[in-house]
Amino acid sequence: MKISSSRTLVLASLVGSALAGGIYTLDECVRGEGFYDSFNFENITDPTHGRVTYVNRTTAERLNLTYATSDTFILRADDTTVLGVNDTGRNSVRIRSNRRHREHVVVFDIQHMPEGCGTWPAIWETKEVGWPAGGEIDILEGANDVVPNQSTLHTGHNCSMPNNTLQSGTFATTNCDASVAYNVGCGVKYAQDNSSFGPGFNSIGGGWYAMERTLHYIKVWFWERHDPCVPLDVSSGAWIIDTDGWGTPAANFPNNTECDIQSHFKGNNIIINLTFCGDWAGNPALYNASGCPLDCVTYVNNNPTAFTNAYFEISSMNVYK
């Protein structure tokens, strides 16, 4: 078949962009009930020592801690039980993707995230076995409604980020080594102070979080629900996306002489979870500084109705390769 010169130029352009890492095609679209097929429920002890009991799928569905419609998935915590001191923690959910990913893009369309004192919600990627040898990418994470969102990398030894990367956010810390400074990692605080996390995020109907991982960098973007600049391929869940058209990322972690991305990050699972208190949200200094009452464990134990809004409502998760 003869191919016209104009079509040849288009194909060449697409191939060139693909080699540069900008063009991706849809590999997995997860919506509604599809989350039950694409994820497994981790009925495990919380590795971050939270005041939480992660339940299995059967229990989650029976207690209505997860449910789905054709176009949304809800993941939430118990909001009715007063906990005794001998209880293991507030019932909640932690799900992990069945598939592992290396170089890829993932886009989350999120309507609502958990909020409240004592909460610690996260959407992230890691390989749990051997952590942190395979790296960890925290896309969305925070505690006690403290804004803004913070995207963070956690790695093995010898990984640091330069403090002058092209991003809209600001590095809070640049050493990604999980063994340093109690595993704070290298974190970027977002410029969208009130809308990227917690009640502010929920009040505007949420938005989109996207992460691109290549051999050369890891980038994270955030767009508010009504942002006129959100790329059409993001908001429409397009089959083909071009990250080169997405503008400046909120967080940008480049490969550099102090951190070889390829050696620090392996095939990782996507994890969505909601814990309470624990190493971060329950840290007394951080908890008190957030303006939350009592101590974290006492508050979580005795105030179940405070967690009525402690839920994720996710419209979709699209993975591109």
Side-chain angles (χ1 to χ4, degrees):
M1 179 178 67
K2 184 178 180 180
I3 301 176
S4 68
S5 59
S6 61
R7 188 175 180 188
T8 301
L9 288 173
V10 171
L11 290 172
S13 176
L14 287 174
V15 170
S17 296
L19 291 175
I23 301 291
Y24 297 82
T25 58
L26 186 63
D27 185 65
E28 183 181 24
C29 176
V30 183
R31 302 178 71 91
E33 295 279 351
F35 279 87
Y36 289 113
D37 299 322
S38 295
F39 284 80
N40 62 80
F41 285 64
E42 294 197 281
N43 179 209
I44 62 173
T45 300
D46 182 16
T48 63
H49 313 105
R51 186 64 173 146
V52 69
T53 298
Y54 288 129
V55 301
N56 59 30
R57 174 176 174 176
T58 300
T59 303
E61 291 187 275
R62 177 173 58 83
L63 298 178
N64 214 33
L65 300 185
T66 60
Y67 54 93
T69 66
S70 61
D71 60 359
T72 192
F73 178 74
I74 304 294
L75 182 157
R76 69 183 192 89
D78 166 77
D79 63 350
T80 61
T81 307
V82 174
L83 300 178
V85 293
N86 295 322
D87 291 325
T88 54
R90 186 161 300 284
N91 285 343
S92 187
V93 177
R94 173 176 168 132
I95 59 174
R96 181 186 66 191
S97 66
N98 297 325
R99 299 172 60 184
R100 286 182 182 163
H101 305 283
R102 290 181 179 267
E103 290 71 53
H104 68 290
V105 174
V106 60
V107 180
F108 294 91
D109 182 350
I110 306 169
Q111 305 286 337
H112 189 281
M113 72 171 66
E115 61 177 75
C117 285
T119 59
W120 179 359
I123 297 179
W124 51 301
E125 297 190 358
T126 196
K127 180 183 177 184
E128 292 168 312
V129 177
W131 180 94
E136 175 182 329
I137 305 169
D138 299 326
I139 300 168
L140 182 162
E141 186 179 32
N144 303 319
D145 290 342
V146 175
V147 294
N149 181 63
Q150 181 169 305
S151 291
T152 306
L153 303 186
H154 302 267
T155 68
H157 301 308
N158 302 316
C159 180
S160 294
M161 289 293 135
N163 205 10
N164 58 347
T165 63
L166 181 60
Q167 59 183 17
S168 61
T170 303
F171 272 104
T173 50
T174 56
N175 193 338
C176 312
D177 187 340
S179 68
V180 173
Y182 302 100
N183 185 31
V184 296
C186 50
V188 175
K189 292 184 178 295
Y190 282 31
Q192 298 97 330
D193 192 42
N194 293 317
S195 62
S196 62
F197 190 81
F201 176 91
N202 297 332
S203 70
I204 61 171
W208 293 266
Y209 272 94
M211 188 277 294
E212 179 184 19
R213 173 183 161 188
T214 74
L215 298 178
H216 307 293
Y217 56 78
I218 295 168
K219 296 179 180 178
V220 187
W221 289 263
F222 167 64
W223 299 275
E224 299 175 0
R225 177 65 55 196
H226 302 294
D227 186 343
C229 297
V230 58
L232 181 61
D233 51 0
V234 171
S235 61
S236 66
W239 181 64
I240 298 176
I241 60 171
D242 182 2
T243 58
D244 288 341
W246 288 4
T248 302
N252 182 8
F253 306 95
N255 190 72
N256 65 87
T257 56
E258 301 297 325
C259 186
D260 177 40
I261 295 289
Q262 185 173 2
S263 66
H264 280 289
F265 289 87
K266 308 300 181 183
N268 287 343
N269 300 94
I270 299 168
I271 298 176
I272 305 172
N273 72 283
L274 168 59
T275 188
F276 297 92
C277 302
D279 297 338
W280 187 10
N283 178 293
L286 298 178
Y287 181 81
N288 293 332
S290 68
C292 290
L294 306 174
D295 65 89
C296 189
V297 170
T298 300
Y299 183 77
V300 169
N301 282 355
N302 296 333
N303 296 278
T305 58
F307 306 112
T308 300
N309 289 320
Y311 66 90
F312 278 109
E313 181 179 353
I314 303 174
S315 294
S316 64
M317 181 192 82
N318 289 341
V319 178
Y320 297 86
K321 297 290 180 71

